Amino acid sequence: MTRFEFQQLLRGWCQDAAFSDDNFSLLKSDIEFLGERLFDEYKPTKNVAEGDFSVRLAKWIGSADTPDDQRSLFLLLRHLFFVGQDDLEASYRTAFSKHILEWLISKLNLNVLSAGAEAAISLALSQTRFTRITDSFELPTFLRLNDIQGHNVRYTWEEHIKNWNGQVFRDQVMQAGTLAEKKYLVLLEDFVGSGSQAATAIGHAQSLNNPAFEVLFCPLIICPDGARRANQLQAMHPNFTFSPVLQLNESDLVKPNAVVGEHQNFPKFRDCLKRLYPRVTGPNPGPQDYGPFGYQDTGAIFVKYDNCPDNSLPVLHRQRHGHWSPLFRRASREAT
């Protein structure tokens, strides 16, 4: 479908009294504004032949066979959670200034109005190792934006998880490149769906003893399944703290089964996703085709400016030439 053809189609939806409850006119204005001001930040489709957001939107809508499914795709955008670069950087600052500093102050049992408070916090920061679960989290950017200096070890749990060795971690990460003995360990991540990767990393961190470290897990955004896992771990380990910047609600996600409090259009979306999934995967589904609701049925309607996670709905990001044209094509390191 061309951009002109989609505009003609959309104009018809806006004028049809049968769809007045869906308020297509307002959604059209919102999407056009966000398309210019935000959605065109999406990195994997910049400077490539796929076109700008308006071109991709028309192709995406045209990938669906029926008018009902085309309307459902467009209405799905009302619930899209898109995190732009400025949003992400703001969350980096919030993670540090609110969650990490408050955690350290709590562990120090510190009166922030006392004369020695600033020096005590400065010492605690020098005793803290900042790590990331995956390389999706821009740890160098986080350190730079928060003016955290003297942290030259950049550890990514995902790269070491299979052959993780506690003693090696202690020697090469917690004590490497610093004069200050590390007492605090922070695990950072930008988006957490099921929490499976994070749970493994947290488990390894908790296995360190003699001495044990105070451990903080601070995801920028986390889905309910991941939050449940993290809360369970927090209940099990007294030296582990879970403090997310933003926790999504179950009703924000399109799950395989109905959820209390979900939007009235979600049952329609659920049926649409199931119908469209064979087109999304094409005739030969690959190893990254996890089902119509994404990895571990997370059902997220989420996109980050630099990529789309596989926990998000595949209709948004999965590309199958000749079958499905995505709105936010996912850049994957695995063969698709």
Side-chain angles (χ1 to χ4, degrees):
M1 183 181 293
T2 67
R3 181 162 42 184
F4 175 76
E5 290 170 335
F6 173 63
Q7 287 300 320
Q8 292 291 100
L9 182 66
L10 184 55
R11 189 173 297 114
W13 296 344
C14 293
Q15 295 172 351
D16 194 329
F19 308 129
S20 59
D21 289 346
D22 290 319
N23 205 341
F24 278 104
S25 296
L26 179 59
L27 180 57
K28 174 180 180 293
S29 298
D30 290 344
I31 296 304
E32 288 174 350
F33 176 81
L34 291 171
E36 294 179 0
R37 300 296 182 91
L38 185 62
F39 297 155
D40 268 336
E41 287 187 18
Y42 192 61
K43 278 189 172 183
T45 54
K46 274 186 175 291
N47 305 317
V48 295
E50 290 159 274
D52 63 16
F53 175 78
S54 63
V55 172
R56 302 197 314 275
L57 176 60
K59 292 179 180 177
W60 182 59
I61 297 296
S63 295
D65 288 310
T66 68
D68 282 348
D69 286 342
Q70 290 172 347
R71 283 191 294 271
S72 290
L73 286 180
F74 191 68
L75 289 172
L76 184 67
L77 296 182
R78 179 170 282 140
H79 307 275
L80 176 66
F81 183 9
F82 187 100
V83 175
Q85 185 171 4
D86 288 346
D87 303 319
L88 193 68
E89 291 184 356
S91 68
Y92 283 170
R93 293 187 176 95
T94 300
F96 178 70
S97 63
K98 176 174 173 55
H99 298 267
I100 293 171
L101 287 183
E102 285 189 2
W103 171 69
L104 287 174
I105 289 168
S106 172
K107 293 303 174 184
L108 293 169
N109 195 23
L110 181 66
N111 178 357
V112 295
L113 300 179
S114 64
E118 185 175 352
I121 293 172
S122 180
L123 176 60
L125 284 172
S126 72
Q127 296 171 330
T128 302
R129 178 64 74 208
F130 296 93
T131 66
R132 59 185 179 181
I133 304 294
T134 71
D135 60 10
S136 177
F137 186 90
E138 294 287 345
L139 185 57
T141 302
F142 169 84
L143 296 172
R144 173 177 55 81
L145 287 175
N146 291 299
D147 195 26
I148 303 171
Q149 301 181 20
H151 293 264
N152 58 345
V153 175
R154 310 292 167 85
Y155 187 82
T156 304
W157 287 89
E158 181 185 39
E159 297 173 357
H160 306 277
I161 214 80
K162 290 183 178 179
N163 300 308
W164 193 82
N165 181 289
Q167 189 58 52
V168 171
F169 180 85
R170 184 186 295 278
D171 293 342
Q172 297 184 3
V173 178
M174 296 304 288
Q175 305 302 338
T178 179
L179 298 177
E181 180 184 0
K182 299 302 180 189
K183 297 181 178 179
Y184 309 101
L185 175 60
V186 176
L187 286 70
L188 295 157
E189 184 61 310
D190 52 8
F191 180 80
V192 176
S194 66
S196 55
Q197 283 182 309
T200 303
I202 293 166
H204 287 327
Q206 291 300 324
S207 70
L208 298 167
N209 48 47
N210 297 322
F213 300 97
E214 294 291 343
V215 179
L216 172 68
F217 175 42
C218 182
L220 303 183
I221 302 165
I222 191 165
C223 293
D225 288 345
R228 276 190 286 272
R229 281 195 181 192
N231 280 317
Q232 289 169 358
L233 290 169
Q234 184 172 236
M236 293 167 55
H237 302 289
N239 65 320
F240 171 67
T241 302
F242 167 53
S243 184
V245 174
L246 177 63
Q247 182 175 324
L248 299 180
N249 298 315
E250 201 86 49
S251 57
D252 297 325
L253 313 175
V254 184
K255 305 292 284 185
N257 299 306
V259 172
V260 174
E262 70 179 15
H263 190 274
Q264 61 184 7
N265 281 338
F266 276 32
K268 177 169 38 178
F269 296 157
R270 193 173 290 113
D271 292 340
C272 172
L273 296 172
K274 293 175 182 177
R275 280 194 302 271
L276 292 177
Y277 190 65
R279 290 188 61 81
V280 174
T281 61
N284 299 303
Q288 294 187 65
D289 291 313
Y290 302 114
F293 304 98
Y295 182 67
Q296 295 201 357
D297 288 335
T298 301
I301 317 170
F302 175 85
V303 178
K304 190 159 63 76
Y305 82 97
D306 57 355
N307 209 358
C308 185
D310 57 10
N311 303 90
S312 283
L313 300 174
V315 293
L316 290 172
H317 64 79
R318 203 74 171 96
Q319 184 174 50
R320 275 289 182 267
H321 293 291
H323 300 279
W324 192 258
S325 182
L327 186 57
F328 297 103
R329 176 179 53 79
R330 172 175 161 79
S332 176
R333 69 187 71 188
E334 305 294 336
T336 59

